Amino acid sequence: MNHAAAAPATPAGSAGPPRRLRLPFMRGYYWLLIGLLYLPIVLLFIFSINANTTLSFPLKGFTVAWYEKLFATPALLNAVVNSLIVAVSSSIAATAFGSMVAILLSRFNFRGRKALTGLAMLPLIIPYVVLAVALLILFRAFGVSLSLVTVAIAHVVVALPYTTLIVLARLIGFDNQLEEAAMDLGATYPATLRLIVLPIAAPAIVSAWITAFTVSFDEFALALFLAGKDPTFPVYLYGQLRFATTLPVLIAAAVLLMAGTMTLIVVANRVRSR
Amino acid sequence: MTASADQLPRAPGPPTRRGGGSDPRRSSFWLLLSPPALVLGLFLIVPVLLMIAVSFRADISGQLLAPFTPTLKQFAQAFAGAGYWRVLGISALTAFGVAVIAVLTAYPVAYFLAFRAGKRASLYLILLLVPFWTSYLLRVMAWKLMLGEQGVVNEVLMGAGLIDEPLDALLYNRGAVVVTLVYVWIPFAALPILAGLGRIDVRLHEAAADLYGSPVQVFRRVTLPLSLPGVVAAFLMVFIPTVGEYVTPLLVGGTGGTMYGNLIQDFFTRAANWPLGSALSIIMLTVTLGLVIVGLRIVDPRRLLEPAS
């Protein structure tokens, strides 16, 4: 039961050393919360393999028709591909920029570091709706028509604080002795970055990339304003929510995408822990 | 000013040779700085400045970049309309409530993961985070299924004989918005709390217990204070996006659940009054920044980044 109870009793006496909250209670609470968190998702999953055309009880029986129909809906597939394009490109850019900021903040002393920190963290503090309309004004003012590119730009901005923080946390945890040694031995700084700093930061860079990818892939509040005519998956989904009969297909698509995201995360976790 | 050196626990790197030009990393410095600074300047600072400019316009006839006579008309309207303030107050209260409930709900789970889950902690953590990787829109949709007239809650209540007719008051109101948002944020709120708890030296617990601290005392006087940076970070990470939330109210809020973000969204879409929308955006931005600064004054979440002692 109490894994620490095996330790010799402390002077405090009977209850065992870690006199913290009781384990069974905590574990029960955890599982209760997990149950509540999964209930709506399980519900969605059930409706994705259920023959009802509308999302209402009672259930009518098992079907994979929605999954078949999904692959016969070009608009939906197109939206998924759009989301992939936006997420891949914006996450790569956000990771590159975030890593640069992280290297600057962890390895350089310079005037204006506080300003750079504030600037890089600012997107965390700006409400999405405000950033969305501000970017809308920018693009309108300069005659940039809305497209997947404008969505990707917004996603780079909002993902940047996350990628910066993730890489920064890793770099702060490492001394720069290796870098100093490399440079004492005649390596140029770019070579030192490539051969020492990037390998050190690599696991964090992978995490940062995944985080940026997932932030972008599911992002809706910015995309709704900035997507123009070619929708990303969440924007497409939103447009279809009014039509009750397409809901099961949409849910089936979302279930597949969730499986895809989770696979990505699990695989990346494996890669990182190597 | 050389204050920069004391901001991070360790300020690595060779001593700065500012202005001397002898630091071999000097050119790299600019190569590293320019791209992110350019992106943030162009797509964050410039848009906000433009938005401020638009808020001083009387209308948006003609080009957005064309010269104009500044007017305070929009702000006068935004400040005069009692309705706007009411919605802003309600949005802030809603966000506060959602953040507090989400943090309180997530804290025991983070505690469990940090100290009690043992070897399986990372598995438990992933299990907690999976809902967060599910489509946001669909998670909100799922709550329509839960709370709707033929939803799960009604079916269960009717099945249990507690009610005879389905309640239609569950959906499309403020309560539905709060429940849905809390649900959405719980996994996210657990992360910074977990980071804060993970930094606590377990020997402090043992020391406190050795000194005859009861479990409650140990928690109140050791664990809780030390975990506060994570708690504040979690609160802010939920509060900030929630103040500006407009999607969830759109889906489950109905007319009673409108938030400030919905007003802004309306002025930029249907109502097509960009100057007034910009003024409201600036008010919201100011309020949010103010609250964040107050929050950071209380406890500095940056401590989460420092290497654990």
Side-chain angles (χ1 to χ4, degrees):
Chain A
M1 186 191 113
N2 189 334
H3 65 82
T10 58
S14 51
R19 314 196 68 199
R20 289 170 252 144
L21 303 180
R22 292 285 172 273
L23 185 59
F25 169 75
M26 310 235 38
R27 176 163 290 157
Y29 180 83
Y30 171 83
W31 286 111
L32 179 71
L33 195 71
I34 290 288
L36 283 175
L37 286 175
Y38 279 77
L39 178 62
I41 296 172
V42 169
L43 204 62
L44 285 177
F45 179 70
I46 289 173
F47 279 111
S48 83
I49 52 166
N50 169 46
N52 298 35
T53 45
T54 57
L55 306 189
S56 57
F57 293 98
L59 302 173
K60 279 196 186 134
F62 175 81
T63 177
V64 289
W66 310 123
Y67 286 87
E68 283 166 7
K69 206 172 166 195
L70 178 175
F71 288 100
T73 314
L76 191 156
L77 297 177
N78 179 50
V80 171
V81 171
N82 284 346
S83 274
L84 279 174
I85 293 171
V86 169
V88 168
S89 53
S90 73
S91 59
I92 289 174
T95 307
F97 296 140
S99 304
M100 290 174 179
V101 176
I103 291 171
L104 287 170
L105 294 180
S106 64
R107 295 297 192 260
F108 286 82
N109 293 320
F110 56 100
R111 226 181 296 228
R113 187 160 81 178
K114 222 172 186 170
L116 182 64
T117 313
L119 187 63
M121 292 306 127
L122 198 55
L124 282 181
I125 309 175
I126 296 187
Y128 272 28
V129 65
V130 174
L131 181 65
V133 300
L135 282 169
L136 193 63
I137 291 172
L138 175 84
F139 295 134
R140 164 85 84 88
F142 290 96
V144 180
S145 52
L146 300 178
S147 66
L148 295 181
V149 177
T150 50
V151 178
I153 287 172
H155 288 177
V156 172
V157 173
V158 293
L160 197 94
Y162 297 111
T163 56
T164 303
L165 284 174
I166 292 167
V167 179
L168 184 61
R170 172 84 179 175
L171 286 179
I172 284 177
F174 269 87
D175 263 332
N176 65 336
Q177 288 165 350
L178 282 174
E179 290 143 72
E180 283 180 356
M183 291 185 68
D184 285 348
L185 293 171
T188 61
Y189 191 62
T192 310
L193 279 183
R194 194 163 44 87
L195 297 171
I196 312 278
V197 179
L198 283 187
I200 285 175
I205 289 175
V206 174
S207 308
W209 179 74
I210 294 168
T211 306
F213 183 92
T214 51
V215 164
S216 166
F217 195 70
D218 190 39
E219 201 289 320
F220 172 69
L222 293 160
L224 182 65
F225 278 94
L226 301 169
K229 293 231 163 58
D230 210 7
T232 59
F233 180 66
V235 175
Y236 173 82
L237 188 63
Y238 179 72
Q240 297 291 312
L241 286 183
R242 281 168 290 158
F243 312 114
T245 48
T246 58
L247 261 179
V249 180
L250 297 172
I251 293 171
V255 168
L256 286 186
L257 290 177
M258 183 181 80
T261 313
M262 280 168 54
T263 313
L264 173 76
I265 289 164
V266 169
V267 168
N269 252 324
R270 283 277 165 80
V271 171
R272 242 186 326 164
S273 58
R274 248 178 220 166
Chain B
M1 211 180 90
T2 52
S4 53
D6 55 46
Q7 274 158 40
L8 285 171
R10 291 179 225 175
T16 343
R17 281 156 252 186
R18 218 174 274 131
S22 51
D23 189 336
R25 309 185 305 169
R26 198 183 156 89
S27 59
S28 300
F29 174 78
W30 292 108
L31 279 177
L32 287 170
L33 181 64
S34 320
L38 204 68
V39 166
L40 287 169
L42 214 56
F43 299 118
L44 185 62
I45 301 302
V46 172
V48 171
L49 293 179
L50 274 176
M51 187 176 72
I52 293 173
V54 169
S55 70
F56 287 108
R57 278 176 175 271
D59 52 57
I60 46 163
S61 55
Q63 290 292 312
L64 271 172
L65 293 175
F68 61 95
T69 324
T71 167
L72 283 173
K73 185 182 139 192
Q74 311 303 344
F75 285 98
Q77 198 174 337
F79 281 111
Y84 299 139
W85 286 113
R86 204 177 56 87
V87 176
L88 182 61
I90 290 174
S91 301
L93 273 181
T94 305
F96 184 85
V98 167
V100 167
I101 299 172
V103 166
L104 288 180
T105 316
Y107 196 99
V109 169
Y111 188 97
F112 172 72
L113 292 176
F115 300 123
R116 298 317 206 107
K119 277 181 203 159
R120 295 223 185 115
S122 61
L123 184 71
Y124 285 157
L125 178 63
I126 290 183
L127 202 55
L128 179 70
L129 290 179
V130 165
F132 205 67
W133 295 322
T134 317
S135 162
Y136 177 83
L137 278 179
L138 277 187
R139 276 181 295 159
V140 177
M141 268 304 297
W143 277 94
K144 271 178 122 161
L145 297 181
M146 297 283 290
L147 301 173
E149 230 170 291
Q150 292 166 331
V152 175
V153 174
N154 269 325
E155 296 282 333
V156 168
L157 289 179
M158 279 168 57
L162 290 172
I163 51 173
D164 300 325
E165 289 172 17
L167 304 168
D168 58 358
L170 295 174
L171 199 55
Y172 302 122
N173 54 40
R174 181 86 37 204
V177 174
V178 171
V179 167
T180 308
L181 285 172
V182 166
Y183 168 76
V184 164
W185 288 119
I186 285 173
F188 197 55
L191 286 180
I193 301 173
L194 182 60
L197 289 171
R199 299 171 51 77
I200 296 175
D201 190 337
V202 185
R203 285 172 301 183
L204 288 175
H205 288 148
E206 288 158 11
D210 286 349
L211 294 168
Y212 300 100
S214 72
V216 174
Q217 279 175 323
V218 173
F219 177 76
R220 266 189 48 210
R221 316 233 341 227
V222 180
T223 317
L224 187 60
L226 287 173
S227 67
L228 275 185
V231 169
V232 172
F235 174 85
L236 289 176
M237 280 165 69
V238 176
F239 179 83
I240 295 165
T242 307
V243 182
E245 176 67 64
Y246 76 93
V247 179
T248 304
L250 214 56
L251 287 168
V252 300
T255 45
T258 305
M259 288 178 68
Y260 208 65
N262 298 96
L263 295 182
I264 294 175
Q265 184 219 4
D266 242 23
F267 282 123
F268 276 86
T269 51
R270 275 189 306 168
N273 187 344
W274 286 28
L276 183 54
S278 297
L280 295 183
S281 299
I282 287 160
I283 292 171
M284 176 147 105
L285 191 57
T286 314
V287 170
T288 316
L289 285 179
L291 291 170
V292 169
I293 289 169
V294 170
L296 292 182
R297 277 279 160 88
I298 301 171
V299 182
D300 191 350
R302 272 178 299 186
R303 276 166 45 193
L304 289 178
L305 265 186
E306 292 167 17
S309 45

Coordinates of all heavy atoms in Angstrom, one line a residue, chain A residues 182-210:
Chain A
A182 N 35.0 23.8 -26.3 CA 35.1 23.7 -27.8 C 35.7 24.9 -28.4 O 36.5 24.9 -29.3 CB 33.7 23.5 -28.3
M183 N 35.3 26.1 -27.8 CA 35.8 27.3 -28.4 C 37.2 27.6 -28.0 O 38.0 28.1 -28.8 CB 34.9 28.5 -28.0 CG 33.5 28.4 -28.6 SD 32.4 29.7 -28.3 CE 33.2 31.0 -29.2
D184 N 37.6 27.1 -26.8 CA 39.0 27.2 -26.5 C 39.9 26.4 -27.4 O 41.0 26.7 -27.7 CB 39.2 26.7 -25.0 CG 38.7 27.8 -24.0 OD1 38.5 28.9 -24.4 OD2 38.6 27.4 -22.8
L185 N 39.3 25.3 -27.9 CA 40.0 24.4 -28.8 C 39.9 24.9 -30.2 O 40.3 24.1 -31.1 CB 39.5 23.0 -28.6 CG 39.8 22.4 -27.3 CD1 39.1 21.0 -27.1 CD2 41.3 22.2 -27.1
G186 N 39.4 26.0 -30.4 CA 39.4 26.6 -31.7 C 38.2 26.5 -32.6 O 38.2 26.9 -33.7
A187 N 37.1 25.9 -32.0 CA 35.9 25.8 -32.8 C 35.3 27.2 -33.0 O 35.3 28.0 -32.0 CB 34.9 24.9 -32.1
T188 N 34.7 27.5 -34.1 CA 34.0 28.7 -34.3 C 32.7 28.6 -33.5 O 32.2 27.5 -33.2 CB 33.7 29.0 -35.8 OG1 32.8 28.0 -36.2 CG2 34.9 29.1 -36.6
Y189 N 32.0 29.8 -33.2 CA 30.8 29.7 -32.5 C 29.7 28.9 -33.3 O 29.0 28.1 -32.7 CB 30.3 31.0 -32.0 CG 29.2 30.9 -31.0 CD1 29.4 30.2 -29.8 CD2 27.9 31.4 -31.3 CE1 28.4 30.0 -28.9 CE2 26.9 31.2 -30.4 CZ 27.1 30.5 -29.2 OH 26.1 30.3 -28.3
P190 N 29.5 29.2 -34.6 CA 28.5 28.4 -35.3 C 28.8 26.9 -35.2 O 27.8 26.1 -35.1 CB 28.6 28.9 -36.7 CG 29.1 30.3 -36.6 CD 30.1 30.3 -35.4
A191 N 30.0 26.5 -35.3 CA 30.4 25.1 -35.2 C 30.0 24.6 -33.8 O 29.5 23.5 -33.6 CB 31.8 24.9 -35.5
T192 N 30.3 25.4 -32.8 CA 30.0 25.0 -31.4 C 28.5 24.8 -31.2 O 28.0 23.9 -30.6 CB 30.4 26.1 -30.4 OG1 31.8 26.4 -30.7 CG2 30.3 25.6 -29.0
L193 N 27.7 25.8 -31.8 CA 26.2 25.6 -31.8 C 25.8 24.3 -32.4 O 25.0 23.6 -31.8 CB 25.6 26.8 -32.5 CG 25.4 28.1 -31.8 CD1 24.7 29.1 -32.7 CD2 24.7 28.0 -30.5
R194 N 26.3 24.0 -33.6 CA 25.9 22.9 -34.3 C 26.4 21.6 -33.6 O 25.6 20.6 -33.5 CB 26.5 22.9 -35.7 CG 25.9 22.0 -36.7 CD 26.3 22.4 -38.1 NE 27.7 22.8 -38.3 CZ 28.7 22.0 -38.5 NH1 28.5 20.7 -38.7 NH2 29.9 22.4 -38.6
L195 N 27.6 21.5 -33.1 CA 28.1 20.3 -32.6 C 27.9 20.1 -31.1 O 27.9 19.0 -30.6 CB 29.7 20.3 -32.8 CG 30.0 20.3 -34.3 CD1 31.5 20.5 -34.5 CD2 29.6 19.0 -35.0
I196 N 27.7 21.1 -30.4 CA 27.5 21.0 -28.9 C 26.1 21.4 -28.5 O 25.3 20.6 -27.9 CB 28.5 21.9 -28.1 CG1 29.9 21.7 -28.7 CG2 28.4 21.6 -26.6 CD1 30.6 20.5 -28.2
V197 N 25.7 22.6 -28.8 CA 24.4 23.1 -28.2 C 23.2 22.4 -28.8 O 22.3 22.0 -28.0 CB 24.3 24.7 -28.4 CG1 23.0 25.2 -27.9 CG2 25.5 25.4 -27.8
L198 N 23.2 22.2 -30.1 CA 22.0 21.6 -30.7 C 21.8 20.1 -30.2 O 20.7 19.7 -29.9 CB 22.1 21.7 -32.2 CG 21.7 23.0 -32.8 CD1 21.6 23.0 -34.3 CD2 20.4 23.5 -32.3
P199 N 22.9 19.3 -30.2 CA 22.7 18.0 -29.6 C 22.3 18.0 -28.2 O 21.4 17.2 -27.8 CB 24.2 17.4 -29.7 CG 24.8 18.1 -30.9 CD 24.3 19.5 -30.8
I200 N 22.8 18.9 -27.4 CA 22.3 19.0 -26.0 C 20.8 19.3 -26.0 O 20.0 18.7 -25.2 CB 23.1 20.1 -25.2 CG1 24.5 19.6 -24.9 CG2 22.4 20.5 -23.9 CD1 25.4 20.6 -24.2
A201 N 20.4 20.2 -26.8 CA 19.0 20.7 -26.8 C 18.1 19.7 -27.5 O 16.9 19.9 -27.4 CB 18.9 22.1 -27.4
A202 N 18.6 18.8 -28.3 CA 17.8 18.0 -29.2 C 16.5 17.4 -28.6 O 15.5 17.5 -29.2 CB 18.7 16.9 -29.8
P203 N 16.6 16.8 -27.4 CA 15.4 16.2 -26.8 C 14.3 17.3 -26.6 O 13.1 17.1 -26.9 CB 15.8 15.6 -25.5 CG 17.3 15.5 -25.5 CD 17.8 16.5 -26.5
A204 N 14.8 18.4 -26.1 CA 13.8 19.5 -25.9 C 13.3 20.1 -27.2 O 12.1 20.5 -27.3 CB 14.5 20.6 -25.1
I205 N 14.1 20.1 -28.2 CA 13.7 20.6 -29.5 C 12.6 19.7 -30.1 O 11.6 20.1 -30.6 CB 14.9 20.7 -30.5 CG1 15.8 21.8 -30.1 CG2 14.4 20.9 -31.9 CD1 17.1 22.0 -30.9
V206 N 12.7 18.4 -29.9 CA 11.7 17.4 -30.3 C 10.4 17.7 -29.5 O 9.3 17.8 -30.2 CB 12.1 16.0 -30.1 CG1 11.0 15.0 -30.4 CG2 13.3 15.7 -31.0
S207 N 10.5 17.9 -28.2 CA 9.3 18.2 -27.4 C 8.7 19.5 -27.9 O 7.4 19.6 -28.0 CB 9.6 18.3 -26.0 OG 10.3 17.3 -25.5
A208 N 9.5 20.5 -28.2 CA 9.0 21.8 -28.6 C 8.3 21.6 -29.9 O 7.2 22.2 -30.1 CB 10.2 22.8 -28.7
W209 N 8.8 20.8 -30.8 CA 8.2 20.7 -32.1 C 6.8 20.0 -32.0 O 5.9 20.5 -32.6 CB 9.1 19.9 -33.0 CG 8.5 19.7 -34.4 CD1 8.3 20.6 -35.3 CD2 7.8 18.5 -34.8 NE1 7.6 20.1 -36.4 CE2 7.3 18.8 -36.1 CE3 7.7 17.2 -34.3 CZ2 6.7 17.8 -36.9 CZ3 7.0 16.3 -35.1 CH2 6.5 16.6 -36.3
I210 N 6.8 19.0 -31.1 CA 5.5 18.3 -31.0 C 4.5 19.2 -30.4 O 3.3 19.3 -30.8 CB 5.7 17.1 -30.1 CG1 6.5 16.0 -30.7 CG2 4.3 16.4 -29.7 CD1 7.0 14.9 -29.8

